[in-house]
Amino acid sequence: MLRVKRISCFYCGTCVAICPRANLELIDSYLFIGKDCAECGICAGVCPVGALEVLNEEQI
Amino acid sequence: MKSRYDVLVIGGGPGGAVAAEKAAAEGLSVCLAEKRPAIGTPVRCAEGIGKEALKKFIDPDPCFISAEISRAAITAPDGESMILDSSKCGNKIGYVVERKIFDRELVRQAADSGADILLKTNAKAPVIENGFIKGAYLEGMADKISADVVIAADGVESRFSRMCGINTLVSPREMMSGAQYLLAGIDIEPDMNIFNVGNSVAPKGYLWVFPKGESIANVGVGIQGLKSGEGHRAKDYLDNFVRKKFPGGKIIEFITGGVPVCRPLPETAADGLMVVGDAARVVEPLTGGGIYNAMYTGELAAKVAVDSISGEDYSRDSLGKYDSLWRSSPMGKSLEQNYLMKEYFVTLSDEKLNRLIHSASKIALKDFSVIQLVKELVLRNPELIIELRSAGIFMN
């Protein structure tokens, strides 16, 4: 499961542009995560501040 | 507020604002929708722009000029610098602007020209009729706007065009991951932009110090998205640099952002749609500069919208003039050349970067451009010409 750490996110939209499934949307200062996440982790890697993380089942 | 316009512009950055202004000034009814509650904030930019480039679109008002730049330094991985001097090209070569004010001024110009402005209004989906983009479903101050021509100026995210069927996806290899502090109380040269390169400073990118006054600067870094990860993110590189170079600096603003350094979209026009600025990926790939190109493509899109609307033809054939005009312009050509340059420069080792930068301590450029700098480097490092040629770059 992809999780955004709300306090860490600077809502800059970098993750939106690189999501292969167009599953992320930034509205004003809120990053929406849609239902079509492949858990590829590309967004978590590119995020300039590490605000996104892919959690495994035990972490949820 | 009307529900039908000649032109709907999605996004209130420099590209959208100039498009709205120029279209409204030609007598079209124009609506600009911005998803944020205020224009120009949060900033996602290092705020540097060439002097002549800025003047083409707005008078340089002191209210948004933070610093005038007359020199640049490129600092090698080993710490040695090459100074680029502007004595041969009219001295003051560029500005560092205050984007919060600059963007707002551009939108004010659009409003003064007659454009309607919607804030905190997100474009949810395009209105599509018979394959033509005919407006957008919105969330915020309006729920739907119909328009003959839609101009997508929605920045790095570029979601609107993606919803219209244009692939705007950027690979992490070609997305720069960036972080920037506004650092106060630091000892800098207030007229000099500094670019630090090297794999330990900014892998496949650079770290900049752009002055915003006597002792204050945008200090930021962009690294290749693929090189970013836990413990080695843009913010980590920035913190390392600031700790070493400006230990007494006070951070008074912190922003992040992504800069696409890919080739432009293969198609920037469709039936009823034109895409401008960062959304069209018309960012200078070597410097990451996007303000001028956004304003330039915004203006061109407005001109083509005027013609298309007077001829009542909103098809790809008609709006496609916009696509071919910017591609064949000096801006379009320089984008392709600088893309190839970027692809070459990101392959260079720290040793090679050191050697190139050591080849001159000072260069007086005849014109302050990437191509001019590379020509000067070639003069001092003749082996470069062969390497550039094999990268597809021919210096004439």
Side-chain angles (χ1 to χ4, degrees):
Chain A
M1 190 186 80
L2 181 67
R3 186 178 73 163
V4 53
K5 295 179 252 178
R6 298 281 167 201
I7 299 294
S8 306
C9 175
F10 276 72
Y11 33 93
C12 68
T14 305
C15 54
V16 175
I18 49 133
C19 174
R21 296 199 175 181
N23 189 49
L24 297 168
E25 182 178 13
L26 180 71
I27 300 178
D28 188 10
S29 55
Y30 196 90
L31 181 70
F32 280 90
I33 300 173
K35 290 181 180 148
D36 188 28
C37 180
E39 302 188 355
C40 66
I42 290 175
C43 58
V46 175
C47 176
V49 289
L52 289 154
E53 55 188 352
V54 177
L55 303 174
N56 60 34
E57 272 181 36
E58 286 161 20
Q59 293 169 304
I60 297 169
Chain B
M1 194 65 64
K2 301 190 295 180
S3 61
R4 220 219 138 268
Y5 289 85
D6 294 323
V7 177
L8 170 63
V9 180
I10 312 285
V18 169
E21 184 213 340
K22 303 292 180 190
E26 290 296 318
L28 299 184
S29 65
V30 178
C31 178
L32 183 153
E34 162 60 45
K35 72 180 173 187
R36 306 221 192 240
I39 300 293
T41 177
V43 175
R44 305 185 287 192
C45 184
E47 304 183 300
I49 181 169
K51 193 169 193 170
E52 295 310 313
L54 180 132
K55 280 181 177 169
K56 283 181 195 160
F57 292 96
I58 190 166
D59 291 331
D61 188 315
C63 78
F64 58 74
I65 305 289
S66 297
E68 277 200 76
I69 302 303
S70 55
R71 296 179 288 162
I74 303 177
T75 303
D78 67 2
E80 295 263 326
S81 291
M82 171 189 278
I83 306 288
L84 309 178
D85 172 82
S86 61
S87 57
K88 283 192 187 164
C89 58
N91 289 314
K92 305 287 184 198
I93 41 144
Y95 298 113
V96 180
V97 297
E98 183 67 32
R99 280 287 301 273
K100 294 185 191 92
I101 313 292
F102 177 76
D103 286 25
R104 201 172 66 200
E105 278 302 296
L106 289 174
V107 170
R108 187 181 66 83
Q109 287 188 357
D112 285 351
S113 295
D116 285 340
I117 313 294
L118 297 173
L119 293 178
K120 208 157 170 41
T121 300
N122 181 52
K124 226 171 17 176
V127 174
I128 303 176
E129 289 171 16
N130 302 321
F132 278 68
I133 311 304
K134 298 296 284 180
Y137 296 101
L138 304 166
E139 293 174 303
M141 285 159 64
D143 55 10
K144 180 186 168 188
I145 299 277
S146 301
D148 292 324
V149 173
V150 177
I151 297 176
D154 52 340
V156 62
E157 292 108 300
S158 199
R159 262 184 72 92
F160 192 81
S161 307
R162 215 167 165 182
M163 290 187 284
C164 295
I166 296 176
N167 182 8
T168 64
L169 178 65
V170 179
S171 85
R173 199 184 82 80
E174 300 203 298
M175 176 64 81
M176 302 308 287
S177 175
Q180 175 177 279
Y181 293 140
L182 178 58
L183 213 53
I186 55 176
D187 187 16
I188 51 162
E189 304 280 347
D191 70 331
M192 184 164 79
N193 280 353
I194 303 171
F195 302 81
N196 296 270
V197 295
N199 285 304
S200 60
V201 183
K204 302 196 184 290
Y206 68 91
L207 187 150
W208 60 86
V209 180
F210 289 0
K212 293 202 74 177
E214 289 298 317
S215 59
I216 182 167
N218 283 337
V219 181
V221 66
I223 66 170
Q224 189 191 57
L226 268 189
K227 294 281 174 188
S228 164
E230 201 50 44
H232 50 96
R233 297 184 187 278
K235 183 180 184 300
D236 300 315
Y237 286 97
L238 182 57
D239 284 335
N240 282 340
F241 180 85
V242 167
R243 214 175 292 126
K244 271 187 232 148
K245 297 284 169 153
F246 301 120
K250 306 273 171 69
I251 300 164
I252 60 172
E253 191 171 294
F254 178 25
I255 60 162
T256 67
V259 181
V261 292
C262 51
R263 282 200 165 98
L265 297 181
E267 286 280 348
T268 59
D271 292 333
L273 179 73
M274 289 179 278
V275 195
V276 306
D278 281 23
R281 314 307 186 204
V282 291
V283 177
E284 280 297 336
L286 205 54
T287 63
I291 306 173
Y292 172 75
N293 291 355
M295 295 194 292
Y296 178 79
T297 49
E299 178 178 48
L300 213 51
K303 281 183 187 156
V304 171
V306 169
D307 292 347
S308 296
I309 285 166
S310 73
E312 294 183 32
D313 182 357
Y314 322 114
S315 67
R316 163 69 180 80
D317 279 354
S318 174
L319 299 180
K321 278 187 217 95
Y322 157 72
D323 190 277
S324 45
L325 279 171
W326 75 252
R327 268 182 225 279
S328 57
S329 72
M331 182 217 83
K333 289 178 181 157
S334 117
L335 277 180
E336 176 58 19
Q337 182 161 56
N338 287 357
Y339 177 82
L340 297 173
M341 296 263 194
K342 184 257 315 183
E343 288 290 284
Y344 168 71
F345 278 107
V346 297
T347 65
L348 300 186
S349 66
D350 282 4
E351 293 70 36
K352 175 90 178 183
L353 289 167
N354 284 335
R355 262 203 316 281
L356 289 180
I357 294 167
H358 294 178
S359 68
S361 59
K362 194 171 184 182
I363 297 179
L365 290 179
K366 272 177 272 173
D367 105 68
F368 229 82
S369 65
V370 166
I371 187 75
Q372 204 56 46
L373 170 60
V374 173
K375 280 181 181 167
E376 295 286 345
L377 289 175
V378 164
L379 281 177
R380 292 163 176 82
N381 305 273
E383 85 279 4
L384 260 190
I385 199 146
I386 298 156
E387 295 174 26
L388 288 167
R389 229 178 250 166
S390 65
I393 304 155
F394 297 90
M395 314 291 297
N396 41 24

